[in-house]
Amino acid sequence: MTTTPAEAERASSPPHRSAAPLVRVLSAELRWVLRRPRNLLALLLVAALPVLIGTAIVLGGSPPPGHGPPVLSSVAGNGLMLPVATLVLAQNLLLPLIAAMVAADALAGESSHGTLRGLLLAPVGRVRLVWVKAFGVLAMTVLAVAVIVVSGTITGLVAFGGDGLVTLSGTTLPLGEALGRVALAAGWSAIQMLAVGAVALAISSTTEHPLVVLAVILGSLIVFGVLGAIPALEWLQPVLITTGWSSVVDVLRDPILAENLLTGLWRAGCYVLIGISATIARMTTRDI
């Protein structure tokens, strides 16, 4: 029996590989992120942070005004201030470190272990791989912020009590609205940390050494903090990723001061767009 040239070509061509189901890939990435011992240790650390701060305030009293974030001096007798105060402290170093750590493992870590090529053979396209890794960074970042808020809320209510929230403006909010304000602060802070994670993911796509990503991110945060404290460089502050992070306490005012919060969201959104775009551009041209 003779075969036509078209049939011979089809027989000699490699079989078509269908793309891996998106849900399966995302669930696998989520399991991979949550099973890493250092990620679990990081979650344990952020869960313990509000407890340590609350215990210190109970034993030593609230710090006087001018020492630490203003919201920290309002925690005593106002338990729902504790989760927001913890966010203010954690977002200066701890939360960016977690976001950078997960992003470093996502691409640089996979590349150093030689498993990044295997992911592309799953098969998962390069652009799709970037979005899957971004999902892992998002999940861990949101989870870390959520753990701080839940632990801080429980600790604050147990240690300091309160059936509402006395705002920084002096008004009192009922419990339901107060919890809404805490959730709003958590969402705002998570978006800021996601911006850090997006930039870290872009750096992670250019190297095979996760420690390089951590060093660049932490070094940049220190440099940005120094630049933001120099009055002569005030013109530069609007483009620094750390600018306005302390604005999260504006959700505790009555009414909410939305201007700085919206500006912070716009700035974080720009960093997310730049970071993801740079990661996609690098991954689609990188020789893996």
Side-chain angles (χ1 to χ4, degrees), residues 38 96-97 99-112 196 199-221 282 286:
R38 58 172 162 262
L97 177 62
M101 180 178 65
V102 178
D105 286 334
L107 293 176
E110 293 272 18
S111 182
S112 65
V196 175
V199 174
L201 196 63
I203 300 172
S204 182
S205 67
T206 65
T207 180
E208 295 181 356
H209 305 285
L211 289 179
V212 172
V213 182
L214 294 177
V216 171
I217 291 298
L218 295 183
S220 299
L221 292 177
R282 173 58 179 164
R286 179 179 177 180

Side-chain angles (χ1 to χ4, degrees), residues 1 60 72 98 131 143 154 166 185 195 277:
M1 180 178 179
L72 199 59
I98 292 175
W131 288 113
L143 184 58
I154 294 175
V166 179
S277 299

Side-chain angles (χ1 to χ4, degrees), residues 213-241:
V213 182
L214 294 177
V216 171
I217 291 298
L218 295 183
S220 299
L221 292 177
I222 294 173
V223 171
F224 289 170
V226 172
L227 294 178
I230 300 177
L233 297 178
E234 186 177 355
W235 59 270
L236 186 61
Q237 293 181 10
V239 301
L240 300 180
I241 193 172

